[in-house]
Amino acid sequence: MIGKLLRLGRRQLHTIISRETIKPSSVTSSHLHTYNLSSIDKLAQHTYMPLILYYSNNDNSNLSAYDKAQKMKKSLSQSLARYYPFAGTLQTPTTPYVDCNDEGVVFVEAKNDSQLETFQHCISEQDETVEQLFADGLFCDNSPHSKSLIGVQLNHFSCGGVIVGLSMSHKIGDGCTLVSFISHWASVTRYGSTEHEEVQPLNPRFLHSPSISSILSEAQVISQGYDNRVTKKFVFPNTKLSDLKNKVNALSLAGSTSPIKNPTRVEVLTSLLYKTAVAAATSKAGCFKPSYLFMPVDIRNKFVEKLPQTMVGNFVGIMMIPTRKASETSLSVMVEEMKKEKSQLEGIPSVEHAAENFKTLKLKLGNEDIEDVIQRSYWCSSLCGFPYNKVDFGWGKPMGASLAVRSADRIGFLLTDTPDGDGIEALVVLEKEDMEIFENDKEMLSFCQII
Protein backbone atom coordinates (compact mmCIF):
# COMPACT_ATOMS: atom_id res chain seq x y z
CA MET A 1 0.00 0.00 0.00
CA ILE A 2 1.35 3.43 -0.97
CA GLY A 3 2.52 5.38 2.00
CA LYS A 4 2.89 2.42 4.32
CA LEU A 5 6.12 2.79 6.27
CA LEU A 6 8.54 -0.05 6.77
CA ARG A 7 9.38 -1.48 10.20
CA LEU A 8 6.91 0.42 12.36
CA GLY A 9 8.36 1.50 15.68
CA ARG A 10 11.86 1.82 14.26
CA ARG A 11 13.75 4.55 12.48
CA GLN A 12 11.68 4.87 9.31
CA LEU A 13 13.68 5.62 6.19
CA HIS A 14 11.80 3.76 3.47
CA THR A 15 8.22 3.97 2.24
CA ILE A 16 6.65 1.01 0.48
CA ILE A 17 5.17 2.05 -2.87
CA SER A 18 4.18 -1.37 -4.26
CA ARG A 19 4.15 -5.04 -3.41
CA GLU A 20 3.64 -7.90 -5.83
CA THR A 21 4.10 -11.65 -5.97
CA ILE A 22 6.07 -12.70 -9.05
CA LYS A 23 5.24 -16.19 -10.30
CA PRO A 24 7.25 -18.27 -12.81
CA SER A 25 6.49 -17.52 -16.45
CA SER A 26 5.63 -21.18 -17.00
CA VAL A 27 4.06 -23.84 -14.79
CA THR A 28 6.45 -26.30 -13.16
CA SER A 29 5.98 -29.85 -14.49
CA SER A 30 4.24 -32.24 -12.11
CA HIS A 31 7.27 -34.57 -11.90
CA LEU A 32 9.32 -31.64 -10.54
CA HIS A 33 6.91 -30.61 -7.78
CA THR A 34 9.15 -32.05 -5.06
CA TYR A 35 12.75 -30.87 -4.90
CA ASN A 36 14.67 -32.98 -2.40
CA LEU A 37 17.38 -31.18 -0.47
CA SER A 38 20.88 -32.66 -0.69
CA SER A 39 22.80 -34.11 2.24
CA ILE A 40 24.60 -30.78 2.71
CA ASP A 41 21.45 -28.67 2.20
CA LYS A 42 19.86 -30.52 5.10
CA LEU A 43 22.71 -29.42 7.38
CA ALA A 44 22.21 -25.74 6.47
CA GLN A 45 20.07 -23.41 8.55
CA HIS A 46 16.93 -21.75 7.18
CA THR A 47 18.50 -18.32 7.56
CA TYR A 48 18.78 -15.70 4.86
CA MET A 49 21.78 -14.43 2.93
CA PRO A 50 21.01 -10.73 2.25
CA LEU A 51 22.77 -9.28 -0.80
CA ILE A 52 22.94 -5.51 -1.39
CA LEU A 53 23.67 -4.09 -4.86
CA TYR A 54 24.04 -0.31 -5.27
CA TYR A 55 23.32 1.25 -8.70
CA SER A 56 23.88 4.92 -9.48
CA ASN A 57 21.77 6.77 -12.04
CA ASN A 58 24.79 7.31 -14.31
CA ASP A 59 23.57 5.17 -17.18
CA ASN A 60 22.39 5.72 -20.73
CA SER A 61 19.33 3.48 -20.62
CA ASN A 62 16.92 6.43 -20.23
CA LEU A 63 14.56 4.11 -18.38
CA SER A 64 12.27 5.52 -15.72
CA ALA A 65 12.07 3.93 -12.29
CA TYR A 66 8.75 2.37 -13.35
CA ASP A 67 10.26 0.90 -16.53
CA LYS A 68 13.21 -0.56 -14.64
CA ALA A 69 10.89 -2.23 -12.15
CA GLN A 70 8.69 -3.67 -14.90
CA LYS A 71 11.66 -5.13 -16.76
CA MET A 72 12.99 -6.65 -13.54
CA LYS A 73 9.63 -8.23 -12.68
CA LYS A 74 9.23 -9.74 -16.14
CA SER A 75 12.75 -11.17 -16.17
CA LEU A 76 12.40 -12.44 -12.60
CA SER A 77 9.33 -14.38 -13.73
CA GLN A 78 11.35 -15.86 -16.61
CA SER A 79 14.28 -16.74 -14.33
CA LEU A 80 12.00 -18.43 -11.81
CA ALA A 81 10.82 -20.77 -14.55
CA ARG A 82 14.45 -21.97 -14.74
CA TYR A 83 15.11 -21.78 -10.99
CA TYR A 84 11.75 -23.43 -10.27
CA PRO A 85 12.44 -24.46 -6.63
CA PHE A 86 13.05 -20.80 -5.73
CA ALA A 87 9.38 -20.02 -6.42
CA GLY A 88 8.30 -22.81 -4.06
CA THR A 89 8.03 -23.04 -0.30
CA LEU A 90 9.76 -24.78 2.59
CA GLN A 91 6.91 -25.87 4.83
CA THR A 92 9.06 -25.90 8.00
CA PRO A 93 12.76 -25.18 8.65
CA THR A 94 13.29 -28.95 9.01
CA THR A 95 11.32 -30.19 5.99
CA PRO A 96 13.79 -32.16 3.79
CA TYR A 97 12.33 -30.94 0.50
CA VAL A 98 10.99 -27.86 -1.26
CA ASP A 99 7.38 -27.87 -2.41
CA CYS A 100 7.71 -26.49 -5.96
CA ASN A 101 4.19 -25.08 -6.01
CA ASP A 102 4.90 -21.93 -8.06
CA GLU A 103 3.67 -19.68 -5.24
CA GLY A 104 6.19 -17.13 -6.42
CA VAL A 105 8.53 -14.54 -4.94
CA VAL A 106 7.56 -11.31 -3.22
CA PHE A 107 8.80 -8.18 -5.05
CA VAL A 108 8.58 -4.98 -2.99
CA GLU A 109 9.30 -1.47 -4.21
CA ALA A 110 10.22 1.21 -1.70
CA LYS A 111 11.37 4.82 -1.93
CA ASN A 112 13.85 6.84 0.04
CA ASP A 113 14.04 10.63 -0.18
CA SER A 114 17.80 10.79 0.33
CA GLN A 115 20.61 10.64 -2.22
CA LEU A 116 21.98 7.14 -2.82
CA GLU A 117 25.60 8.17 -2.35
CA THR A 118 24.78 9.93 0.92
CA PHE A 119 22.82 6.90 2.11
CA GLN A 120 25.63 4.53 1.12
CA HIS A 121 28.24 6.52 3.03
CA CYS A 122 26.08 6.91 6.12
CA ILE A 123 24.73 3.38 6.30
CA SER A 124 26.18 1.26 9.09
CA GLU A 125 26.37 -2.49 8.77
CA GLN A 126 25.12 -2.99 12.31
CA ASP A 127 22.34 -0.40 11.92
CA GLU A 128 18.72 -1.49 11.66
CA THR A 129 18.46 0.62 8.52
CA VAL A 130 20.13 -2.22 6.60
CA GLU A 131 17.21 -4.51 7.39
CA GLN A 132 14.82 -2.02 5.78
CA LEU A 133 16.41 -2.73 2.40
CA PHE A 134 14.92 -6.24 2.33
CA ALA A 135 11.40 -7.52 1.73
CA ASP A 136 9.33 -8.90 4.62
CA GLY A 137 12.20 -8.81 7.09
CA LEU A 138 13.99 -11.66 5.26
CA PHE A 139 17.29 -10.57 6.76
CA CYS A 140 19.77 -13.05 8.22
CA ASP A 141 17.88 -15.12 10.81
CA ASN A 142 15.09 -12.60 11.47
CA SER A 143 12.36 -14.67 9.75
CA PRO A 144 13.12 -18.33 10.53
CA HIS A 145 9.43 -19.27 10.24
CA SER A 146 8.95 -17.86 6.75
CA LYS A 147 8.17 -20.45 4.09
CA SER A 148 9.66 -18.26 1.36
CA LEU A 149 13.06 -19.02 -0.12
CA ILE A 150 13.62 -15.71 -1.92
CA GLY A 151 12.65 -12.09 -1.30
CA VAL A 152 13.35 -9.03 -3.47
CA GLN A 153 13.12 -5.33 -2.69
CA LEU A 154 13.88 -2.55 -5.17
CA ASN A 155 14.74 0.65 -3.29
CA HIS A 156 14.43 3.91 -5.25
CA PHE A 157 16.39 7.02 -4.20
CA SER A 158 15.70 10.66 -5.02
CA CYS A 159 18.73 10.87 -7.32
CA GLY A 160 17.39 8.08 -9.52
CA GLY A 161 19.78 5.49 -8.13
CA VAL A 162 18.54 2.19 -6.72
CA ILE A 163 19.51 -0.50 -4.28
CA VAL A 164 18.52 -4.08 -5.02
CA GLY A 165 18.07 -6.08 -1.82
CA LEU A 166 17.91 -9.83 -2.50
CA SER A 167 17.51 -12.42 0.26
CA MET A 168 17.96 -16.15 -0.30
CA SER A 169 17.51 -18.96 2.21
CA HIS A 170 20.69 -20.90 2.96
CA LYS A 171 18.58 -24.07 2.72
CA ILE A 172 18.42 -23.73 -1.05
CA GLY A 173 22.01 -22.74 -1.73
CA ASP A 174 25.29 -21.09 -0.82
CA GLY A 175 26.98 -17.85 -1.87
CA CYS A 176 27.85 -19.30 -5.27
CA THR A 177 24.18 -20.18 -5.87
CA LEU A 178 23.17 -16.67 -4.82
CA VAL A 179 25.50 -15.00 -7.32
CA SER A 180 24.53 -17.48 -10.05
CA PHE A 181 20.84 -16.69 -9.57
CA ILE A 182 21.17 -12.92 -9.56
CA SER A 183 23.61 -13.01 -12.51
CA HIS A 184 21.08 -15.07 -14.48
CA TRP A 185 18.21 -12.77 -13.53
CA ALA A 186 20.21 -9.64 -14.42
CA SER A 187 21.26 -11.09 -17.76
CA VAL A 188 17.68 -11.99 -18.65
CA THR A 189 16.70 -8.42 -17.77
CA ARG A 190 19.48 -7.10 -19.97
CA TYR A 191 19.00 -9.38 -22.98
CA GLY A 192 15.28 -10.09 -22.73
CA SER A 193 15.21 -13.89 -22.88
CA THR A 194 16.50 -17.00 -21.11
CA GLU A 195 17.30 -18.33 -24.60
CA HIS A 196 19.75 -15.53 -25.45
CA GLU A 197 23.28 -16.79 -26.19
CA GLU A 198 24.69 -14.62 -23.40
CA VAL A 199 22.24 -16.12 -20.89
CA GLN A 200 22.47 -19.79 -21.87
CA PRO A 201 25.79 -20.45 -20.05
CA LEU A 202 24.21 -19.03 -16.87
CA ASN A 203 21.26 -21.44 -16.83
CA PRO A 204 21.12 -23.45 -13.58
CA ARG A 205 22.01 -27.09 -13.08
CA PHE A 206 20.31 -29.21 -10.43
CA LEU A 207 21.53 -32.25 -8.56
CA HIS A 208 18.56 -34.52 -7.94
CA SER A 209 18.87 -36.09 -4.50
CA PRO A 210 17.02 -39.19 -3.28
CA SER A 211 13.80 -38.76 -1.32
CA ILE A 212 13.86 -38.80 2.47
CA SER A 213 10.46 -38.87 4.12
CA SER A 214 11.50 -38.18 7.70
CA ILE A 215 11.61 -34.69 9.19
CA LEU A 216 15.11 -33.48 9.98
CA SER A 217 16.35 -32.39 13.35
CA GLU A 218 16.91 -28.65 13.69
CA ALA A 219 20.40 -27.58 12.63
CA GLN A 220 22.42 -26.11 15.47
CA VAL A 221 22.75 -22.35 15.28
CA ILE A 222 26.41 -21.47 15.75
CA SER A 223 26.13 -18.01 17.24
CA GLN A 224 27.30 -16.61 20.52
CA GLY A 225 24.09 -14.64 20.98
CA TYR A 226 25.55 -11.51 22.52
CA ASP A 227 24.38 -8.02 21.66
CA ASN A 228 27.59 -6.14 22.52
CA ARG A 229 29.20 -6.72 19.15
CA VAL A 230 30.10 -4.14 16.54
CA THR A 231 30.78 -4.37 12.81
CA LYS A 232 33.39 -2.29 11.00
CA LYS A 233 34.75 -2.23 7.46
CA PHE A 234 38.45 -2.32 6.62
CA VAL A 235 39.86 -2.03 3.08
CA PHE A 236 43.10 -3.70 2.00
CA PRO A 237 44.50 -2.57 -1.40
CA ASN A 238 46.20 -5.17 -3.60
CA THR A 239 49.54 -3.37 -3.29
CA LYS A 240 49.38 -3.81 0.49
CA LEU A 241 48.26 -7.42 0.12
CA SER A 242 51.32 -8.05 -2.08
CA ASP A 243 53.47 -6.64 0.73
CA LEU A 244 51.67 -8.96 3.14
CA LYS A 245 52.40 -11.97 0.91
CA ASN A 246 56.09 -11.01 0.92
CA LYS A 247 56.04 -10.78 4.70
CA VAL A 248 54.45 -14.24 4.99
CA ASN A 249 57.12 -15.71 2.70
CA ALA A 250 59.88 -14.04 4.71
CA LEU A 251 58.44 -15.42 7.95
CA SER A 252 58.27 -18.94 6.53
CA LEU A 253 61.93 -18.78 5.48
CA ALA A 254 62.96 -17.37 8.86
CA GLY A 255 61.26 -20.32 10.49
CA SER A 256 63.58 -22.66 8.57
CA THR A 257 60.73 -24.11 6.55
CA SER A 258 60.30 -24.25 2.80
CA PRO A 259 58.74 -21.09 1.36
CA ILE A 260 54.97 -21.12 1.16
CA LYS A 261 53.92 -21.72 -2.42
CA ASN A 262 51.74 -19.01 -3.97
CA PRO A 263 49.91 -17.71 -0.89
CA THR A 264 46.64 -16.13 -1.99
CA ARG A 265 45.28 -12.72 -1.02
CA VAL A 266 42.51 -14.38 0.96
CA GLU A 267 44.88 -16.70 2.82
CA VAL A 268 47.28 -13.97 3.95
CA LEU A 269 44.51 -11.51 4.83
CA THR A 270 42.52 -14.11 6.77
CA SER A 271 45.68 -14.97 8.71
CA LEU A 272 46.27 -11.31 9.54
CA LEU A 273 42.68 -10.69 10.63
CA TYR A 274 42.57 -13.85 12.76
CA LYS A 275 45.94 -13.17 14.39
CA THR A 276 44.92 -9.59 15.19
CA ALA A 277 41.50 -10.62 16.57
CA VAL A 278 42.97 -13.34 18.79
CA ALA A 279 45.64 -10.91 20.03
CA ALA A 280 42.91 -8.40 20.89
CA ALA A 281 40.96 -11.04 22.84
CA THR A 282 44.17 -12.11 24.59
CA SER A 283 44.98 -8.53 25.56
CA LYS A 284 41.50 -8.07 27.00
CA ALA A 285 41.52 -11.37 28.91
CA GLY A 286 45.12 -11.05 30.08
CA CYS A 287 46.06 -14.52 28.80
CA PHE A 288 45.91 -16.57 25.61
CA LYS A 289 43.02 -18.99 25.19
CA PRO A 290 42.98 -21.71 22.53
CA SER A 291 40.89 -20.49 19.59
CA TYR A 292 39.51 -21.79 16.30
CA LEU A 293 39.25 -20.48 12.76
CA PHE A 294 36.41 -21.89 10.64
CA MET A 295 36.32 -21.22 6.89
CA PRO A 296 33.59 -22.34 4.46
CA VAL A 297 35.03 -23.30 1.08
CA ASP A 298 33.29 -23.74 -2.28
CA ILE A 299 33.93 -27.38 -3.25
CA ARG A 300 32.29 -27.57 -6.68
CA ASN A 301 35.72 -27.99 -8.25
CA LYS A 302 36.91 -30.35 -5.51
CA PHE A 303 34.81 -33.32 -6.63
CA VAL A 304 36.37 -36.13 -8.65
CA GLU A 305 33.89 -35.16 -11.36
CA LYS A 306 33.93 -31.38 -11.08
CA LEU A 307 30.58 -29.63 -10.77
CA PRO A 308 29.71 -26.49 -12.76
CA GLN A 309 29.59 -23.20 -10.89
CA THR A 310 25.91 -22.94 -11.87
CA MET A 311 25.05 -26.07 -9.86
CA VAL A 312 22.31 -25.07 -7.40
CA GLY A 313 22.66 -25.97 -3.74
CA ASN A 314 25.09 -25.92 -0.86
CA PHE A 315 28.43 -27.28 -2.01
CA VAL A 316 30.57 -26.17 0.86
CA GLY A 317 33.30 -27.76 2.91
CA ILE A 318 34.43 -26.41 6.28
CA MET A 319 38.08 -25.93 7.14
CA MET A 320 38.82 -25.84 10.87
CA ILE A 321 42.18 -24.61 12.15
CA PRO A 322 42.75 -24.84 15.92
CA THR A 323 45.38 -22.66 17.57
CA ARG A 324 46.35 -24.15 20.92
CA LYS A 325 49.11 -21.64 21.67
CA ALA A 326 49.94 -18.08 20.63
CA SER A 327 52.82 -19.07 18.32
CA GLU A 328 50.34 -21.00 16.15
CA THR A 329 48.64 -17.72 15.17
CA SER A 330 51.80 -16.69 13.27
CA LEU A 331 50.94 -15.54 9.75
CA SER A 332 53.10 -18.16 8.05
CA VAL A 333 51.83 -20.98 10.27
CA MET A 334 48.20 -20.01 9.62
CA VAL A 335 48.68 -19.87 5.84
CA GLU A 336 50.43 -23.23 5.87
CA GLU A 337 47.61 -24.79 7.90
CA MET A 338 45.01 -23.35 5.51
CA LYS A 339 46.76 -24.94 2.56
CA LYS A 340 46.91 -28.30 4.35
CA GLU A 341 43.20 -28.16 5.19
CA LYS A 342 42.32 -27.13 1.64
CA SER A 343 44.32 -30.02 0.15
CA GLN A 344 42.30 -32.47 2.25
CA LEU A 345 39.15 -31.35 0.45
CA GLU A 346 40.44 -32.51 -2.94
CA GLY A 347 39.01 -35.58 -4.69
CA ILE A 348 35.55 -35.69 -3.10
CA PRO A 349 33.70 -38.72 -4.54
CA SER A 350 30.12 -37.71 -3.72
CA VAL A 351 27.86 -35.19 -1.96
CA GLU A 352 27.31 -37.73 0.82
CA HIS A 353 31.06 -37.84 1.45
CA ALA A 354 31.15 -34.04 1.45
CA ALA A 355 28.42 -33.97 4.10
CA GLU A 356 30.56 -36.22 6.28
CA ASN A 357 33.08 -33.35 6.45
CA PHE A 358 30.67 -31.48 8.70
CA LYS A 359 30.10 -34.48 10.94
CA THR A 360 33.82 -35.06 11.47
CA LEU A 361 34.34 -31.53 12.77
CA LYS A 362 32.93 -32.54 16.14
CA LEU A 363 35.22 -35.56 16.23
CA LYS A 364 38.22 -33.29 15.65
CA LEU A 365 37.21 -31.28 18.70
CA GLY A 366 37.49 -34.38 20.86
CA ASN A 367 36.02 -33.98 24.35
CA GLU A 368 35.88 -30.19 24.24
CA ASP A 369 32.60 -28.58 25.16
CA ILE A 370 30.95 -27.32 21.97
CA GLU A 371 29.56 -24.20 23.66
CA ASP A 372 33.01 -23.30 24.96
CA VAL A 373 34.47 -23.81 21.48
CA ILE A 374 31.83 -21.52 19.97
CA GLN A 375 32.84 -18.74 22.36
CA ARG A 376 36.41 -18.94 21.03
CA SER A 377 35.63 -19.41 17.33
CA TYR A 378 36.08 -17.00 14.44
CA TRP A 379 34.36 -17.55 11.09
CA CYS A 380 35.81 -16.24 7.85
CA SER A 381 33.72 -16.31 4.69
CA SER A 382 35.24 -15.15 1.42
CA LEU A 383 33.22 -14.05 -1.59
CA CYS A 384 36.32 -12.83 -3.41
CA GLY A 385 36.29 -13.87 -7.04
CA PHE A 386 32.48 -14.09 -7.15
CA PRO A 387 31.21 -11.59 -9.76
CA TYR A 388 28.80 -9.64 -7.54
CA ASN A 389 30.34 -6.41 -8.80
CA LYS A 390 29.51 -7.33 -12.41
CA VAL A 391 25.76 -7.87 -12.05
CA ASP A 392 24.34 -5.68 -14.83
CA PHE A 393 20.57 -5.41 -15.31
CA GLY A 394 21.08 -3.22 -18.38
CA TRP A 395 21.88 0.07 -16.64
CA GLY A 396 25.48 -0.55 -15.70
CA LYS A 397 27.48 -2.45 -13.12
CA PRO A 398 26.87 -1.73 -9.43
CA MET A 399 28.90 0.95 -7.67
CA GLY A 400 29.12 -1.45 -4.75
CA ALA A 401 28.00 -4.91 -3.65
CA SER A 402 28.10 -6.76 -0.35
CA LEU A 403 26.37 -9.28 1.83
CA ALA A 404 24.80 -7.59 4.81
CA VAL A 405 25.77 -8.77 8.27
CA ARG A 406 24.39 -8.06 11.72
CA SER A 407 26.50 -7.31 14.74
CA ALA A 408 24.55 -10.04 16.52
CA ASP A 409 25.98 -12.57 14.05
CA ARG A 410 28.86 -14.86 14.94
CA ILE A 411 32.22 -13.15 15.30
CA GLY A 412 34.55 -13.22 12.36
CA PHE A 413 35.20 -11.76 8.94
CA LEU A 414 33.40 -11.43 5.60
CA LEU A 415 35.70 -10.76 2.65
CA THR A 416 34.59 -9.30 -0.68
CA ASP A 417 36.37 -7.72 -3.63
CA THR A 418 36.37 -3.93 -3.70
CA PRO A 419 34.11 -2.45 -6.42
CA ASP A 420 37.14 -1.55 -8.57
CA GLY A 421 38.70 -5.00 -8.04
CA ASP A 422 41.87 -3.45 -6.63
CA GLY A 423 41.67 -4.90 -3.16
CA ILE A 424 39.56 -6.66 -0.54
CA GLU A 425 36.93 -5.21 1.78
CA ALA A 426 36.70 -6.96 5.15
CA LEU A 427 33.61 -6.66 7.33
CA VAL A 428 34.79 -7.53 10.82
CA VAL A 429 32.38 -8.52 13.61
CA LEU A 430 33.88 -8.50 17.11
CA GLU A 431 32.88 -7.79 20.65
CA LYS A 432 33.09 -4.07 21.33
CA GLU A 433 36.07 -4.28 23.69
CA ASP A 434 37.99 -6.48 21.25
CA MET A 435 37.24 -4.14 18.35
CA GLU A 436 38.69 -1.18 20.22
CA ILE A 437 42.00 -3.04 20.43
CA PHE A 438 41.74 -4.62 16.96
CA GLU A 439 41.22 -1.35 15.05
CA ASN A 440 44.32 0.18 16.64
CA ASP A 441 46.68 -2.72 15.90
CA LYS A 442 49.73 -1.23 14.18
CA GLU A 443 50.58 -4.30 12.08
CA MET A 444 47.04 -4.65 10.77
CA LEU A 445 46.79 -0.91 10.03
CA SER A 446 50.06 -0.98 8.06
CA PHE A 447 48.30 -3.06 5.39
CA CYS A 448 44.96 -1.27 5.61
CA GLN A 449 43.60 1.72 3.75
CA ILE A 450 41.90 4.06 6.19
CA ILE A 451 38.41 5.07 4.98
Side-chain angles (χ1 to χ4, degrees):
M1 177 182 297
I2 296 177
K4 180 178 178 182
L5 292 174
L6 289 175
R7 324 298 182 233
L8 294 178
R10 297 187 178 187
R11 188 183 177 202
Q12 299 164 340
L13 297 175
H14 289 62
T15 304
I16 293 178
I17 55 178
S18 73
R19 176 188 173 86
E20 188 175 339
T21 298
I22 307 300
K23 295 182 179 294
S25 59
S26 60
V27 177
T28 300
S29 301
S30 58
H31 71 283
L32 297 176
H33 278 185
T34 299
Y35 176 75
N36 297 315
L37 299 175
S38 75
S39 301
I40 308 178
D41 293 335
K42 293 164 192 167
L43 298 173
Q45 301 165 26
H46 182 42
T47 57
Y48 293 89
M49 293 182 288
L51 175 65
I52 304 174
L53 298 174
Y54 304 86
Y55 294 90
S56 69
N57 195 30
N58 299 326
D59 67 83
N60 299 316
S61 65
N62 295 319
L63 291 174
S64 66
Y66 174 82
D67 290 335
K68 286 181 179 180
Q70 292 305 113
K71 285 177 67 72
M72 292 179 74
K73 291 175 186 178
K74 180 180 178 181
S75 59
L76 178 58
S77 176
Q78 293 172 293
S79 291
L80 289 174
R82 296 281 186 178
Y83 284 84
Y84 64 93
F86 289 24
T89 54
L90 190 69
Q91 294 304 313
T92 73
T94 56
T95 303
Y97 62 88
V98 174
D99 183 3
C100 303
N101 50 22
D102 294 338
E103 283 201 8
V105 168
V106 63
F107 189 105
V108 172
E109 283 188 83
K111 70 175 183 178
N112 186 302
D113 292 333
S114 64
Q115 299 282 315
L116 174 58
E117 192 168 348
T118 301
F119 182 87
Q120 186 181 13
H121 285 147
C122 293
I123 196 170
S124 172
E125 286 79 10
Q126 70 267 29
D127 198 320
E128 64 190 16
T129 57
V130 178
E131 184 182 342
Q132 297 182 35
L133 297 171
F134 299 94
D136 292 356
L138 302 183
F139 177 73
C140 297
D141 59 355
N142 282 9
S143 301
H145 304 299
S146 173
K147 296 181 180 181
S148 300
L149 295 167
I150 294 280
V152 177
Q153 185 165 306
L154 180 62
N155 304 276
H156 300 279
F157 288 80
S158 60
C159 58
V162 298
I163 288 179
V164 177
L166 172 68
S167 299
M168 186 187 82
S169 171
H170 227 315
K171 273 293 183 185
I172 200 70
D174 52 19
C176 189
T177 297
L178 177 61
V179 74
S180 293
F181 173 71
I182 199 163
S183 296
H184 182 276
W185 172 28
S187 294
V188 176
T189 310
R190 188 177 182 183
Y191 297 108
S193 169
T194 56
E195 302 301 327
H196 193 280
E197 61 180 8
E198 296 291 337
V199 179
Q200 285 285 332
L202 301 175
N203 283 336
R205 299 277 296 277
F206 294 95
L207 185 71
H208 295 287
S209 302
S211 173
I212 295 180
S213 58
S214 61
I215 298 297
L216 304 169
S217 59
E218 186 97 38
Q220 182 177 1
V221 177
I222 304 180
S223 175
Q224 291 94 332
Y226 295 134
D227 58 3
N228 66 332
R229 299 201 194 99
V230 293
T231 303
K232 293 198 174 182
K233 180 192 292 185
F234 300 86
V235 177
F236 299 85
N238 282 338
T239 53
K240 295 289 188 179
L241 293 174
S242 293
D243 293 341
L244 184 56
K245 287 182 185 181
N246 293 334
K247 181 170 184 174
V248 168
N249 280 324
L251 287 170
S252 67
L253 288 172
S256 300
T257 62
S258 57
I260 295 174
K261 214 171 185 182
N262 300 321
T264 68
R265 297 182 311 156
V266 170
E267 288 169 347
V268 297
L269 180 54
T270 300
S271 298
L272 177 64
L273 295 173
Y274 178 73
K275 176 190 174 186
T276 308
V278 172
T282 300
S283 177
K284 182 186 70 174
C287 64
F288 176 84
K289 294 183 180 180
S291 303
Y292 301 83
L293 175 66
F294 289 88
M295 294 184 68
V297 179
D298 179 21
I299 57 173
R300 285 170 177 78
N301 64 350
K302 306 293 185 184
F303 284 84
V304 173
E305 295 186 11
K306 298 186 186 306
L307 303 178
Q309 288 300 104
T310 54
M311 185 69 78
V312 172
N314 288 282
F315 295 95
V316 177
I318 300 292
M319 299 194 306
M320 182 187 76
I321 301 174
T323 49
R324 310 288 184 182
K325 50 188 178 181
S327 60
E328 293 177 348
T329 65
S330 161
L331 297 178
S332 57
V333 172
M334 289 298 300
V335 171
E336 190 172 3
E337 288 302 311
M338 282 183 218
K339 289 191 174 293
K340 286 180 183 177
E341 284 287 314
K342 201 175 294 184
S343 67
Q344 293 178 12
L345 293 173
E346 296 288 347
I348 301 171
S350 67
V351 174
E352 287 68 29
H353 280 81
E356 288 297 318
N357 173 265
F358 289 87
K359 299 175 183 177
T360 58
L361 286 179
K362 192 169 183 180
L363 295 177
K364 290 182 181 179
L365 294 173
N367 297 323
E368 295 195 55
D369 180 70
I370 188 65
E371 291 299 324
D372 187 44
V373 169
I374 290 172
Q375 302 299 326
R376 295 179 280 114
S377 296
Y378 299 80
W379 286 77
C380 182
S381 296
S382 172
L383 299 176
C384 295
F386 288 179
Y388 289 105
N389 290 317
K390 298 179 181 178
V391 177
D392 185 355
F393 287 91
W395 38 86
K397 296 176 183 178
M399 56 191 285
S402 67
L403 279 181
V405 299
R406 297 186 311 143
S407 294
D409 290 341
R410 55 199 178 197
I411 60 175
F413 329 105
L414 174 64
L415 310 183
T416 57
D417 292 314
T418 57
D420 59 7
D422 191 33
I424 295 178
E425 292 182 354
L427 286 180
V428 179
V429 180
L430 294 174
E431 292 183 32
K432 185 176 180 181
E433 298 86 350
D434 290 3
M435 182 65 81
E436 291 172 353
I437 302 171
F438 179 95
E439 64 184 345
N440 288 295
D441 183 89
K442 291 182 179 179
E443 181 182 32
M444 190 274 292
L445 289 176
S446 69
F447 299 101
C448 180
Q449 174 183 313
I450 305 299
I451 58 172

